[in-house]
């Protein structure tokens, strides 16, 4: 058995120690990620420092330059290991978060299923069918009542239509007579009528009227002919 296996085995049995909650495990993983991030930053600074020392000594002090490059290599190896560890922790944290989410979803779905079951226990499908039939019947009755109210009802009042029409005509005649009495006739003009035109003027006016009437008749005949030609 490896030393690492002995270390974890000696840490205690799962029967005596309770398993941590997902929240506690996620908090520990985040703390580890933060610690390794700081370690990364420190190693990167040390690598740059050792590289600067190697360049500073160069060929003048080869021994010091080689020691700086060796330290740089060790720091780079540690940095690579930390990168791999961070990748593993990140994967483990994401898996734990997904597991925790799935557990919460499953718990809530189970809670909802129990609530739904409790609700359905008090329901009877036969009663639901009867209730829906009652609702449908009541809706049909309400529709019939609405249609009955909307129909026009004719009451027999016993009056003669002819008598009513005669009375209406009398009322209209009375109203017309009132309007006629209120009409004011125009005043008779006080001035004398114009003198009668002489025969020559009357003859000339009659001739012009006949000529104009003849031209209108000719125009109308031409229009009728054009309309007939277009129709054929």
């Amino acid at each position: 058995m490896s030393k690492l296996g002995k270390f974890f085995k000696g840490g205690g049995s799962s029967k005596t120690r309770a398993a941590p909650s997902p929240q506690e495990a996620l908090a520990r993983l985040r703390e580890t990620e933060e610690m390794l991030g700081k370690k990364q930053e420190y190693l990167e600074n040390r690598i740059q420092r050792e590289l600067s020392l190697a360049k500073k000594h160069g060929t003048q002090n080869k021994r010091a330059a080689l020691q700086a490059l060796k330290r740089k290599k060790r720091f780079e190896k540690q940095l690579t290991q930390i990168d791999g560890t961070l990748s593993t922790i990140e994967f483990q944290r994401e898996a734990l978060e997904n597991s925790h989410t799935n557990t919460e979803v499953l718990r809530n779905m189970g809670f909802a299923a129990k609530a739904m079951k409790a609700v359905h226990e008090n329901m009877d499908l036969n009663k639901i069918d009867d209730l829906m039939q009652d609702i449908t019947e009541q809706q049909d009755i309400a529709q019939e009542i609405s249609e009955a109210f909307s129909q026009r009802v004719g009451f027999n009042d016993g009056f003669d239509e002819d008598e009513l029409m005669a009375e209406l005509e009398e009322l209209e005649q009375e109203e017309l007579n009132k309007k006629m009495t209120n009409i004011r006739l125009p005043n008779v003009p006080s001035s004398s009528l114009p003198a009668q035109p002489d025969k020559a003027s009357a003859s000339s006016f009659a001739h012009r009227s006949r000529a104009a009437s003849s031209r209108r008749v000719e125009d109308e005949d031409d229009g009728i002919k054009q309309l007939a030609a277009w129709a054929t």
Side-chain angles (χ1 to χ4, degrees):
M1 184 180 293
S2 63
K3 295 181 179 179
L4 187 62
K6 292 180 180 180
F7 173 78
F8 283 106
K9 184 177 180 181
S13 176
S14 58
K15 296 181 180 180
T16 58
R17 298 182 59 184
S21 64
Q23 291 82 357
E24 293 176 354
L26 288 172
R28 292 288 184 88
L29 289 175
R30 292 190 181 96
E31 290 176 358
T32 304
E33 284 180 323
E34 185 178 358
M35 178 188 66
L36 292 176
K38 292 179 179 179
K39 183 69 174 179
Q40 274 184 326
E41 185 178 357
Y42 169 76
L43 291 175
E44 289 173 355
N45 292 331
R46 288 299 305 269
I47 290 171
Q48 293 297 327
R49 188 186 307 173
E50 298 300 332
L51 183 60
S52 299
L53 288 175
K55 291 179 179 181
K56 179 181 178 180
H57 293 294
T59 56
Q60 298 178 359
N61 191 349
K62 292 183 178 181
R63 186 164 177 265
L66 291 174
Q67 291 295 328
L69 290 176
K70 289 179 181 180
R71 290 192 297 269
K72 171 180 168 296
K73 291 293 183 180
R74 289 199 307 269
F75 294 149
E76 287 177 349
K77 185 177 180 180
Q78 294 180 23
L79 187 61
T80 302
Q81 292 174 351
I82 291 175
D83 290 338
T85 304
L86 282 173
S87 297
T88 303
I89 292 175
E90 183 178 2
F91 175 79
Q92 188 178 13
R93 177 174 54 80
E94 291 177 355
L96 185 58
E97 287 176 349
N98 293 332
S99 299
H100 177 62
T101 302
N102 294 333
T103 302
E104 291 295 326
V105 171
L106 183 62
R107 183 183 296 115
N108 293 332
M109 290 177 67
F111 182 77
K114 291 180 181 179
M116 189 178 297
K117 183 179 179 180
V119 171
H120 289 166
E121 285 179 354
N122 299 325
M123 290 186 180
D124 188 359
L125 293 178
N126 295 326
K127 292 181 179 179
I128 294 174
D129 292 336
D130 296 338
L131 177 62
M132 295 305 297
Q133 291 179 0
D134 293 339
I135 293 174
T136 303
E137 291 177 359
Q138 294 303 320
Q139 288 179 346
D140 294 338
I141 294 173
Q143 183 67 25
E144 293 178 359
I145 293 172
S146 299
E147 292 177 355
F149 281 136
S150 62
Q151 292 178 356
R152 185 175 181 180
V153 180
F155 296 98
N156 187 11
D157 46 17
F159 296 114
D160 189 0
E161 292 282 339
D162 295 336
E163 292 181 358
L164 293 176
M165 292 299 297
E167 184 177 356
L168 180 60
E169 291 178 358
E170 291 179 359
L171 293 175
E172 292 178 350
Q173 187 62 38
E174 290 179 0
E175 187 67 22
L176 181 60
N177 293 335
K178 290 180 181 180
K179 291 181 179 179
M180 293 297 294
T181 55
N182 293 330
I183 295 176
R184 298 180 62 185
L185 297 175
N187 296 326
V188 179
S190 58
S191 60
S192 60
L193 295 175
Q196 184 177 2
D198 54 4
K199 293 181 178 180
S201 298
S203 177
S204 177
F205 177 74
H207 179 70
R208 289 195 300 270
S209 299
R210 286 195 298 273
S213 177
S214 177
R215 285 194 299 271
R216 285 196 300 272
V217 171
E218 291 177 357
D219 293 338
E220 290 178 356
D221 291 340
D222 293 338
I224 292 172
K225 290 179 181 179
Q226 293 177 1
L227 179 61
W230 176 81
T232 56

